[in-house]
Amino acid sequence: MKAICIILFIFVNVSLSGQEYLEIPLYDTKRIVDENTPSIRVYLSDKPNGMAVIACPGGGYKYLEMNKEGYSFAPWFNDRGITFIILKYRLPDGNPEIPLTDAKQAMRLVRLHAKDWSINPKKIGIMGSSAGGHVASTLATHFDNDTRPDFQILLYPVITMDEEFTHSGSFQQLLGENPAKEEIALYSNECQVKAETPPAFIVLSDNDNIVPSTNSIRYYQSLNNNKVPAEMHIYPTGGHGWGMYKNFTYYDQWTGSLNKWLEIRLSDKK
């Protein structure tokens, strides 16, 4: 879908924490955003540095972890001058084009409003956790001319649809019961990396028993083979789904590494 919806209405709300945000439907600009509306929630920083991140929550393509892998990240990014945007994408129910279409539209909308939100249109990244990492890495490898992210941040991501290593629930929800081999390959994102794929920051736990670490390792190897800058951190413990939990043993390490990596992306003149 190439067309960009012109936004006629932007809904301003206040979260439970008292932080204001903008709620914007992806497609139907006259629709009030409800739980079934694909949309973006935009948290603007008080001191914007020009960078923005669009986050895709996980949930195995069956539901969305909007709080743990979406809203809870906003203060951390905003404190660093980064506009933080959470994408409420549609679930695929066997149609893998649906989440990708929503991710592309989100990128278009953010670039459309870049000036309004004090964003540099060349400093917009995509982020995803778990199955949301599959959405993010799909956009990073299947983008159009106007939807390429400038960087990608992946937390314990689903990457591959190879049945030996994928998360089975995500596989079934995305591709259905009997997908063709060609479709499996198309959405195995380690197979879709190219030189134009944006730089990546990847973080996970070695003892993740939900999404095998092979997903991230294969993706890193493919990025490296295509000379795409990538940084990966594998921590020995933590399991799956720790999000922004401060009780994660390696919280200080991974957030410190991400902070430094984002500073480098911000200073990059490309």
Side-chain angles (χ1 to χ4, degrees):
M1 180 176 180
K2 298 290 186 181
I4 295 178
C5 296
I6 302 300
I7 298 301
L8 300 177
F9 300 97
I10 295 178
F11 303 96
V12 180
N13 296 278
V14 179
S15 66
L16 293 176
S17 65
Q19 187 176 10
E20 289 189 354
Y21 59 86
L22 309 175
E23 195 90 45
I24 303 172
L26 283 183
Y27 303 105
D28 185 354
T29 59
K30 295 182 180 180
R31 181 174 180 176
I32 300 297
V33 175
D34 60 26
E35 63 180 10
N36 298 314
T37 307
S39 61
I40 54 174
R41 179 179 288 194
V42 183
Y43 289 90
L44 303 174
S45 175
D46 291 336
K47 297 180 180 179
N49 62 15
M51 181 175 278
V53 170
I54 302 171
C56 306
Y61 280 128
K62 193 172 184 179
Y63 63 95
L64 298 182
E65 287 278 8
M66 297 297 291
N67 288 308
K68 182 178 72 171
E69 293 169 350
Y71 309 144
S72 65
F73 285 95
W76 189 92
F77 282 92
N78 282 175
D79 287 348
R80 287 153 181 80
I82 300 169
T83 297
F84 193 71
I85 300 140
I86 301 98
L87 171 61
K88 183 167 66 175
Y89 56 91
R90 292 170 295 164
L91 300 173
D93 194 23
N95 184 347
E97 294 183 8
I98 289 176
L100 176 59
T101 297
D102 289 354
K104 287 180 176 180
Q105 180 67 357
M107 185 62 68
R108 293 187 184 104
L109 289 182
V110 175
R111 288 207 166 109
L112 177 65
H113 287 280
K115 185 176 181 180
D116 302 331
W117 299 339
S118 301
I119 295 170
N120 181 340
K122 296 183 180 180
K123 298 293 181 183
I124 304 173
I126 192 76
M127 172 178 167
S129 306
S130 194
H134 190 264
V135 179
S137 61
T138 303
L139 182 62
T141 53
H142 295 70
F143 52 82
D144 301 319
N145 289 337
D146 60 342
T147 60
R148 178 187 179 273
D150 298 296
F151 56 89
Q152 53 182 316
I153 302 167
L154 306 175
L155 281 66
Y156 40 87
V158 177
I159 295 290
T160 191
M161 289 293 113
D162 180 337
E163 292 183 82
E164 184 176 356
F165 300 109
T166 191
H167 174 245
S168 60
S170 297
F171 177 98
Q172 292 171 6
Q173 292 295 322
L174 185 70
L175 301 179
E177 292 296 330
N178 296 295
K181 291 182 179 180
E182 293 79 9
E183 196 169 45
I184 291 174
L186 181 63
Y187 289 97
S188 291
N189 293 329
E190 78 278 15
C191 301
Q192 305 302 326
V193 173
K194 44 190 175 289
E196 296 76 24
T197 297
F201 179 93
I202 308 167
V203 60
L204 64 148
S205 295
D206 188 52
N207 69 339
D208 189 332
N209 62 359
I210 303 297
V211 178
S213 59
T214 306
N215 281 257
S216 293
I217 293 168
R218 282 186 167 189
Y219 195 55
Y220 174 83
Q221 289 175 329
S222 187
L223 292 165
N224 185 262
N225 290 340
N226 284 274
K227 302 188 185 309
V228 176
E231 178 174 329
M232 183 168 68
H233 298 268
I234 305 177
Y235 296 107
T237 60
H240 185 80
W242 28 262
M244 195 47 100
Y245 291 163
K246 291 187 177 181
N247 62 359
F248 173 43
T249 302
Y250 301 97
Y251 171 84
D252 290 337
Q253 288 89 335
W254 90 261
T255 54
S257 295
L258 177 59
N259 186 60
K260 182 63 176 178
W261 188 83
L262 287 167
E263 288 176 352
I264 293 170
R265 301 278 76 74
L266 185 63
S267 63
D268 191 343
K269 301 302 181 183
K270 293 182 179 179

